[in-house]
Amino acid sequence: MSKSFGYLRRLKALSIAFILPMTLSCLTVQAAGKEKNDIGTSQQQSVQIVSVMKINPTTVEVLYSDNQRMTLDFYGENIFRMFQDNAGGILRDPEAKPEAKILVNQPRKVVSQLNVKDDAGSIAITTGKIKVELNKSTALMKVINLETGATVMEEVEPITFDKERVILKLKESPEEYFYGGGVQNGCFSHKGKTVSIESQNSWTDGGVASPNPYYWSTNGYGLMWHTFKRGVYDFGREEKGIVKLFHQTNYLDLFVMVNDGAVPLLNDFYQLTGNPVLIPKFGLYQGHLNAYNRDYWKEDENGILFEDGKRYKESQKDNGGIKESLNGEKTTTSSRHAL
């Protein structure tokens, strides 16, 4: 597994963080360094859809005018996988060192129907619960919840493929909010923010400790990128009305799930990755993953402001500062300051 993530068990365990309210105020998580120009040499420009073919009971293949192909593979009536490797690669597990998998052994549910309808200007791929609509001339996609009639997800630009990353841009509704991404310290709702999908081993405000390439939207969809590579998700911060997502990979592989509300969308996520690891009630204790009983805090004018009016910086090594305590018996820095 890459440095961008911990072990697979961490990916499952951190799912709990999506439903735990955070009391800290949201801070914008800046992407590390200046990103390269979005326009890659292999970006799909003026690409049209030539044909769409159902190749098996759960899978549809889309052929573009540049001879590239995208596979839409349905893992249930409301979950599908988008896969496109312009180098010609086939559906596969993402690279992980040490070896690991994101999906459980049996991630699929029955797809009772999968129909493809070719109209004059668009192609509709439908199951009993959703419709994926593809515009022939622009190759843009929109996803519709057939139970509500609402368009829950819509592309605003063709997917960008360059040498170092794949970029997806989606429409952001004014009243739409976003949650997830794993343990994004100090952030709960991500609207107008940028979150990094990489382990920064940081437990303070703005840091990322246990990232997860999954988020869900109040519009009624969830998205999980099937990769261990570093990513950045911008929810309208860089450009209002645009959700910009990318991972540092050279092919597209992600899952889209459509459902109404947080609990159903999280259950769709668990269908793919397995249920989160929940320890028994007697195993719970004050603090989170020992985060408030380990580090040292030293006075620093650029540090975090505490109740005593002074600023402190955190270190996992003894820097001569005050050591944390869960109850504050021997020190002035305890978990009560952080909870």
Side-chain angles (χ1 to χ4, degrees):
M1 187 180 302
S2 69
K3 293 181 179 178
S4 298
F5 296 94
Y7 293 97
L8 183 59
R9 61 185 177 86
R10 181 183 297 174
L11 177 68
K12 296 179 179 178
L14 61 87
S15 304
I16 307 169
F18 296 135
I19 55 178
L20 293 178
M22 293 188 178
T23 58
L24 298 174
S25 61
C26 281
L27 298 177
T28 300
V29 181
Q30 301 288 350
K34 178 68 176 175
E35 302 297 343
K36 294 186 178 181
N37 195 310
D38 290 348
I39 307 301
T41 56
S42 57
Q43 179 178 0
Q44 293 182 338
Q45 297 182 4
S46 303
V47 173
Q48 299 179 335
I49 293 176
V50 175
S51 66
V52 177
M53 179 184 300
K54 182 178 176 180
I55 59 177
N56 65 47
T58 65
T59 310
V60 170
E61 187 175 77
V62 181
L63 175 63
Y64 298 105
S65 56
D66 60 357
N67 290 322
Q68 299 295 348
R69 299 172 186 270
M70 176 184 286
T71 300
L72 299 180
D73 190 8
F74 287 77
Y75 280 61
E77 302 282 358
N78 65 318
I79 302 176
F80 66 94
R81 181 179 183 178
M82 297 171 59
F83 182 91
Q84 182 174 344
D85 186 350
N86 292 340
I90 61 174
L91 285 166
R92 60 191 182 272
D93 290 330
E95 180 184 6
K97 295 180 180 179
E99 185 177 348
K101 290 186 178 182
I102 293 175
L103 303 182
V104 294
N105 291 334
Q106 300 294 335
R108 295 179 182 269
K109 288 187 176 180
V110 174
V111 180
S112 61
Q113 58 176 302
L114 181 61
N115 302 312
V116 178
K117 183 179 180 181
D118 191 339
D119 290 327
S122 65
I123 295 173
I125 305 165
T126 60
T127 68
K129 292 187 176 181
I130 66 172
K131 176 167 74 171
V132 180
E133 190 173 288
L134 302 170
N135 186 298
K136 285 185 178 180
S137 60
T138 64
L140 296 180
M141 171 190 294
K142 65 171 61 175
V143 182
I144 300 165
N145 184 334
L146 293 179
E147 294 182 351
T148 64
T151 297
V152 298
M153 192 183 97
E154 183 174 356
E155 289 181 325
V156 295
E157 289 184 14
I159 299 169
T160 300
F161 297 83
D162 67 20
K163 294 180 180 179
E164 296 183 358
R165 61 182 181 172
V166 175
I167 304 169
L168 181 68
K169 289 189 177 183
L170 305 174
K171 181 179 179 180
E172 176 198 22
S173 300
E175 300 302 319
E176 182 179 12
Y177 292 86
F178 310 91
Y179 304 92
V183 180
Q184 301 284 339
N185 292 318
C187 263
F188 175 57
S189 172
H190 303 322
K191 190 176 183 70
K193 310 295 180 182
T194 299
V195 298
S196 294
I197 310 299
E198 65 171 336
S199 179
Q200 299 171 352
N201 195 29
S202 172
W203 291 93
T204 55
D205 261 2
V208 185
S210 298
N212 191 324
Y214 170 82
Y215 75 89
W216 65 273
S217 159
T218 55
N219 256 22
Y221 79 92
L223 189 149
M224 183 186 80
W225 214 296
H226 192 212
T227 183
F228 291 101
K229 299 295 186 180
R230 174 183 178 268
V232 173
Y233 297 169
D234 184 317
F235 298 101
R237 177 180 173 271
E238 182 178 297
E239 186 177 355
K240 190 174 181 180
I242 302 295
V243 173
K244 178 183 173 183
L245 317 166
F246 78 77
H247 275 272
Q248 291 179 334
T249 178
N250 57 6
Y251 69 96
L252 176 74
D253 190 5
L254 59 83
F255 287 85
V256 177
M257 49 215 78
V258 178
N259 228 318
D260 187 18
V263 172
L265 285 169
L266 287 169
N267 284 332
D268 292 336
F269 171 75
Y270 300 149
Q271 174 188 323
L272 299 175
T273 65
N275 291 325
V277 178
L278 295 174
I279 62 176
K281 187 175 181 179
F282 64 78
L284 298 172
Y285 64 91
Q286 192 176 20
H288 175 59
L289 299 181
N290 208 31
Y292 305 129
N293 194 32
R294 176 195 64 189
D295 298 347
Y296 295 82
W297 293 79
K298 188 174 184 179
E299 249 188 273
D300 190 299
E301 61 181 11
N302 296 317
I304 297 172
L305 181 64
F306 273 67
E307 290 89 339
D308 60 3
K310 299 178 182 179
R311 294 183 177 273
Y312 297 85
K313 267 196 173 179
E314 181 186 29
S315 174
Q316 293 184 15
K317 297 180 179 180
D318 188 349
N319 59 3
I322 302 170
K323 190 176 187 304
E324 292 173 335
S325 167
L326 284 175
N327 51 30
E329 306 133 338
K330 300 179 180 180
T331 70
T332 60
T333 303
S334 77
S335 61
R336 286 194 292 267
H337 288 92
L339 292 176

